[in-house]
Amino acid sequence: MEIAQVVGLALVTTILLLILRQEKPVLAVILSIVFSIIIFTVMMGKMASILNVMRELTRRAEVNYFFFATILKILGVAYLGEFAAAICQDAGEQAVAKKVEFASKIIIAVLALPIMIAILESLMQLMPG
């Protein structure tokens, strides 16, 4: 699915949502979720291509795979958190969306700790002591 198809599907979905929100708000939320899942699922193929390239670059650069895996987890949490928050916002639940965003940020900070520690340890070894 290329960008023209995504935009076309988004426009059709938006028009349907405008109509449904007035008549059947519950169906509008369901349609929004279905649209989100379709886009997410279709884009997973594109994400797999990106991951394969990144994995190959990591292998060539002989970078520790732990760091690569951690960065992937961080990206996954960021994307899933944003995805879930957007669905909550579409359903009119801004407070829940904010909690999802908050939780995502905390999880990202926890996942980033080992990388930050490794960077600090490397800097400390470089400094004259």
Side-chain angles (χ1 to χ4, degrees):
M1 182 177 280
E2 298 303 320
I3 191 64
Q5 293 168 314
V6 170
V7 169
L9 184 58
L11 290 174
V12 169
T13 302
T14 300
I15 291 167
L16 290 172
L17 286 171
L18 288 172
I19 295 166
L20 282 176
R21 279 207 176 101
Q22 294 176 3
E23 301 295 321
K24 300 195 185 255
V26 173
L27 285 178
V29 171
I30 292 170
L31 176 61
S32 177
I33 291 170
V34 168
F35 171 76
S36 299
I37 291 170
I38 289 170
I39 295 298
F40 187 80
T41 304
V42 170
M43 289 300 115
M44 285 289 88
K46 303 271 187 211
M47 287 296 294
S49 299
I50 294 168
L51 294 178
N52 289 335
V53 169
M54 290 176 65
R55 189 175 292 121
E56 179 61 22
L57 290 174
T58 300
R59 187 190 63 74
R60 284 186 191 172
E62 297 179 6
V63 175
N64 187 336
Y65 189 77
F66 170 77
F67 295 118
F68 174 70
T70 302
I71 290 170
L72 289 182
K73 288 176 189 175
I74 289 170
L75 287 172
V77 170
Y79 283 128
L80 288 174
E82 183 180 349
F83 181 75
I87 289 173
C88 294
Q89 287 174 340
D90 288 346
E93 296 297 330
Q94 279 73 18
V96 174
K98 289 292 182 190
K99 302 321 181 271
V100 169
E101 290 171 351
F102 174 75
S104 297
K105 290 173 185 175
I106 297 298
I107 293 168
I108 287 170
V110 169
L111 288 170
L113 274 177
I115 294 174
M116 291 188 292
I117 290 169
I119 290 170
L120 286 174
E121 287 175 348
S122 295
L123 287 175
M124 290 172 29
Q125 289 176 356
L126 293 173
M127 297 179 89

